[in-house]
Amino acid sequence: MNEFLVFEGVTKRYGDFYAVRDVTFEVRQGEIFALLGPSGCGKTTLLRMLAGFIEPDAGRILVDGKDVTGIPPDKRPVNTVFQSYALFPHLTIRDNIGFGLKMARRGKAEIAAEVDRMLDLVDLVEHADKKPDQISGGQKQRVAIARALVNKPRVLLLDEPLAALDLKLRQRLLVELDEIHDEVGITFLYVTHDQTEAMAISDRIGVMNRGRVAQIGAPAEIYESPVDSFVAAFIGDTNFLEGRVIERLGDEYSLVAIEAMGEIRVYNDREISPGDEIHLSLRPEKLSIQTSAPAATDEARNAIEGTVEDVIYLGALTRYWVRTGERRLAVERQHSRFLLDEKPPTWGDKVWVRWRADDGYLLRDFAPEHAEMLSLPAETE
Ligand SMILES: Nc1ncnc2c1ncn2[C@@H]1O[C@H](COP(=O)(O)OP(=O)(O)O)[C@@H](O)[C@H]1O
Ligand SMILES: [Mg+2]
């Protein structure tokens, strides 16, 4: 009922190479939906098919129930904001924003009113009469957004719109984009390779890998319950543990032997039986580290003994690498208190790493190559 934008079995090939392969998903009216994936995974190709610059080899795309196949780009109810702002250097900001309306031969008074509304929306009223080279990169991108929105598209397509800007400015523009979205209320399809950007701005995310959509869900769902090792490694960092189920411990937990490490308890996210090979994703911030032996443990918790092998101080948190058996675990400790007076664990300390069994997540699929996407290797030598 809410399916406003529909991609149905969409495929695009270049020779034998599938840039987009049998992609099916829907975007709801008014939401910010992010297409997230590494460079080359097919994000721009999908956007260009929706915008009408290229046509799919198979499948179809519907906007508000209407198949847009064959409709020329300028007749589709979408507008695109690119990473390169593509502003006209010789035109003022005002004329850049009004350009589309002028081409559509709208009246002078109407154009002036619409452009004023847009200048106000993107907070550029004082810069209206400047040329693009007299304003900053962030302001240029706001012009590009205004220029797309002035045509009143039903969907705004944003292709890596912030990629050319530095971190602080990117964060600020994300907040502004969110506010603009609240104000105009239309659907945003936001393409990015940056997971923090996608997390921060979207209602839902479609994670792409090699031309396919690997998982669709709300940001927290994608982060907490990644379906496979690609999604788990691409979104944030994690520890991958490989093991075999020894026995079930009641309905909720199972005892699992982890290769080169020891026995742990695992929450039965999926139906697993003794003998099954499993792969677990365990986010570093879910683990805690302490130098004293834990008092008592219960069946819902794990405590593994190890040695601190590396300490990386990151300001807001410290990342520890703890050796347990023949492998290492990444553990993150948040500095929620001023801790110069405390004695945090350090190199060579004997420690206990603890976590709740239900904070690990059983993956549906695992490929060893995805372990190489993590920021640091889990295994040494
Ligand atoms: N016109 C083209 N001819 C051949 N290959 C292309 C063409 N356009 C895109 N590709 C390939 O398709 C894949 C997906 O490209 P693209 O959609 O631009 O990826 P993304 O935007 O996710 O970085 C890439 O491997 C790219 O090299
Ligand atoms: Mg791209």
Side-chain angles (χ1 to χ4, degrees):
M1 139 221 146
N2 215 340
E3 297 163 353
F4 178 63
L5 245 183
V6 179
F7 291 80
E8 244 177 47
V10 173
T11 294
K12 180 70 197 174
R13 273 192 325 259
Y14 292 105
D16 290 341
F17 176 77
Y18 285 82
V20 169
R21 189 161 198 157
D22 195 19
V23 162
T24 297
F25 69 97
E26 48 89 6
V27 177
R28 298 169 189 154
Q29 184 150 21
E31 77 176 335
I32 303 186
F33 189 98
L35 282 173
L36 170 67
S39 172
C41 72
K43 307 179 296 292
T44 296
T45 305
L46 259 182
L47 269 205
R48 289 169 58 83
M49 286 191 277
L50 171 57
F53 300 121
I54 48 178
E55 291 289 347
D57 294 316
R60 48 182 208 151
I61 301 171
L62 309 175
V63 180
D64 205 7
K66 197 170 168 231
D67 189 343
V68 295
T69 310
I71 299 177
D74 59 317
K75 298 282 188 300
R76 296 194 185 193
V78 305
N79 270 99
T80 311
V81 176
F82 300 98
Q83 173 187 335
S84 59
Y85 325 111
L87 302 181
F88 300 113
H90 57 287
L91 295 184
T92 62
I93 301 314
R94 179 186 297 283
D95 289 343
N96 263 285
I97 296 176
F99 188 79
L101 299 179
K102 201 172 164 199
M103 286 295 106
R105 299 179 189 284
R106 308 276 274 278
K108 270 209 168 107
E110 186 197 347
I111 295 178
E114 286 300 319
V115 170
D116 279 341
R117 214 167 58 81
M118 285 301 135
L119 284 167
D120 191 45
L121 179 73
V122 298
D123 205 15
L124 286 174
V125 175
E126 300 130 75
H127 303 284
D129 299 314
K130 291 184 180 167
K131 299 275 178 64
D133 65 3
Q134 294 171 297
I135 60 175
S136 71
Q139 289 167 333
K140 279 183 207 157
Q141 197 50 290
R142 273 145 57 189
V143 176
I145 291 163
R147 195 180 50 176
L149 285 174
V150 80
N151 301 310
K152 297 208 167 75
R154 312 265 328 259
V155 188
L156 185 68
L157 310 183
L158 301 117
D159 194 352
E160 313 254 6
L162 310 182
L165 307 171
D166 61 39
L167 177 65
K168 286 270 155 96
L169 192 54
R170 258 189 346 253
Q171 290 169 335
R172 209 172 72 215
L173 269 167
L174 266 184
V175 175
E176 288 179 14
L177 256 179
D178 206 19
E179 286 167 3
I180 290 171
H181 176 258
D182 285 348
E183 216 149 312
V184 297
I186 63 168
T187 308
F188 280 19
L189 189 53
Y190 190 101
V191 159
T192 180
H193 67 276
D194 183 318
Q195 41 133 340
T196 46
E197 243 174 60
M199 293 267 190
I201 200 165
S202 23
D203 298 301
R204 291 189 307 147
I205 297 174
V207 184
M208 288 188 71
N209 181 24
R210 297 186 182 179
R212 298 179 189 268
V213 173
Q215 186 171 5
I216 292 173
E221 212 176 318
I222 299 259
Y223 184 80
E224 301 289 352
S225 320
V227 291
D228 60 22
S229 51
F230 171 79
V231 178
F234 187 71
I235 316 285
D237 249 312
T238 197
N239 295 288
F240 285 133
L241 303 182
E242 188 182 338
R244 198 167 287 280
V245 180
I246 300 171
E247 58 174 326
R248 300 218 15 166
L249 308 167
D251 287 341
E252 285 183 287
Y253 304 101
S254 296
L255 191 64
V256 173
I258 300 296
E259 213 168 85
M261 196 174 106
E263 290 178 7
I264 65 166
R265 295 185 169 90
V266 164
Y267 183 71
N268 302 331
D269 295 304
R270 290 186 291 110
E271 200 53 48
I272 49 175
S273 331
D276 285 356
E277 194 186 311
I278 60 107
H279 289 95
L280 192 72
S281 164
L282 195 54
R283 301 275 187 202
E285 77 279 9
K286 304 284 197 284
L287 309 182
S288 67
I289 182 171
Q290 61 189 67
T291 46
S292 54
T297 184
D298 59 68
E299 66 153 25
R301 281 173 205 281
N302 288 297
I304 291 262
E305 217 178 312
T307 309
V308 175
E309 216 171 60
D310 208 354
V311 182
I312 304 162
Y313 179 76
L314 295 166
L317 54 89
T318 296
R319 172 170 282 203
Y320 295 92
W321 285 95
V322 177
R323 172 156 298 279
T324 70
E326 282 164 51
R327 51 165 304 149
R328 311 202 290 176
L329 286 175
V331 181
E332 278 172 8
R333 176 191 251 203
Q334 201 70 34
H335 302 157
S336 44
R337 296 183 47 242
F338 183 75
L339 47 59
L340 281 184
D341 295 338
E342 267 182 40
K343 261 208 168 358
T346 187
W347 280 269
D349 279 359
K350 190 172 162 171
V351 291
W352 280 262
V353 174
R354 305 181 71 195
W355 71 94
R356 293 168 51 103
D358 53 5
D359 278 338
Y361 190 75
L362 285 175
L363 301 170
R364 205 184 56 203
D365 281 309
F366 178 83
E369 79 226 43
H370 297 148
E372 278 151 38
M373 294 162 60
L374 300 174
S375 66
L376 281 165
E379 247 110 353
T380 49
E381 65 255 27

